[in-house]
Amino acid sequence: DAQIADVFPGTILIGVGIGVGLGPLNNVILSSASEAKQADASGVLNATTKLGASLGSAVIGVVLLVSIYSALGAAVEQAHPEYTAHEVNAQVDTLKTTDLQVLKAGQNTTTQIANEMISSAMQHAVDAISLFLFGGFLCSLFIGQGGRASELPPHVRPVAR
């Protein structure tokens, strides 16, 4: 079972990393546009940021739900090894249609199944987020400047030494 102490350090690290990196990244993106295109660049940046946040939330929600439902069978089999395949499927169907908060309120085997399934699903969601962020980091290593220094606005051009 994951506790808040297990999740807290990673959450703080991700929050600080995004906070430290996002401001300068947005500054570089907006400063690379010409003055005539600043408003357009700002609108596109804002729209893609909102779209990315919405799609990211949706994808993580789907990963979480798929992980919960895929973990149901294994959790029921582990809690009730004496069940036949038909009984496991019946129990899984019951759990799929039951509110998880009601399950967690009880103190029985169903609570154990719900806790195991939620812990497993959260771990899969964290793994998916971590892989996505690592993939984004790897992609960012290969993104070039996109143009010669003479094509950049004067306040972004590198200083000649």
Side-chain angles (χ1 to χ4, degrees):
D1 287 324
Q3 302 296 322
I4 190 73
D6 298 331
V7 177
F8 190 72
T11 304
I12 293 297
L13 185 63
I14 288 173
V16 169
I18 289 173
V20 168
L22 204 54
L25 179 64
N26 288 345
N27 187 23
V28 168
I29 291 169
L30 291 177
S31 65
S32 66
S34 66
E35 286 190 35
K37 302 273 187 178
Q38 286 283 322
D40 295 337
S42 175
V44 169
L45 176 65
N46 203 6
T48 55
T49 300
K50 303 291 186 213
L51 180 66
S54 298
L55 289 177
S57 297
V59 167
I60 292 304
V62 167
V63 167
L64 199 58
L65 284 174
V66 166
S67 298
I68 285 174
Y69 289 137
S70 67
L72 274 174
V76 170
E77 285 176 359
Q78 184 178 5
H80 297 289
E82 72 278 1
Y83 279 6
T84 65
H86 179 67
E87 291 171 322
V88 168
N89 289 335
Q91 183 75 14
V92 167
D93 289 338
T94 302
L95 288 171
K96 282 183 181 179
T97 58
T98 306
D99 185 15
L100 291 178
Q101 295 303 323
V102 173
L103 289 177
K104 291 185 85 172
Q107 296 298 324
N108 55 23
T109 309
T110 308
T111 305
Q112 175 189 358
I113 293 170
N115 285 334
E116 288 175 12
M117 140 184 100
I118 290 170
S119 294
S120 173
M122 292 296 285
Q123 184 62 47
H124 288 298
V126 168
D127 291 345
I129 292 169
S130 300
L131 285 173
F132 180 76
L133 290 175
F134 184 68
F137 169 72
L138 289 177
C139 289
S140 71
L141 293 177
F142 299 104
I143 295 175
Q145 193 171 10
R148 291 191 283 281
S150 61
E151 297 171 356
L152 296 173
H155 61 281
V156 181
R157 288 185 191 151
V159 177
R161 294 185 184 192

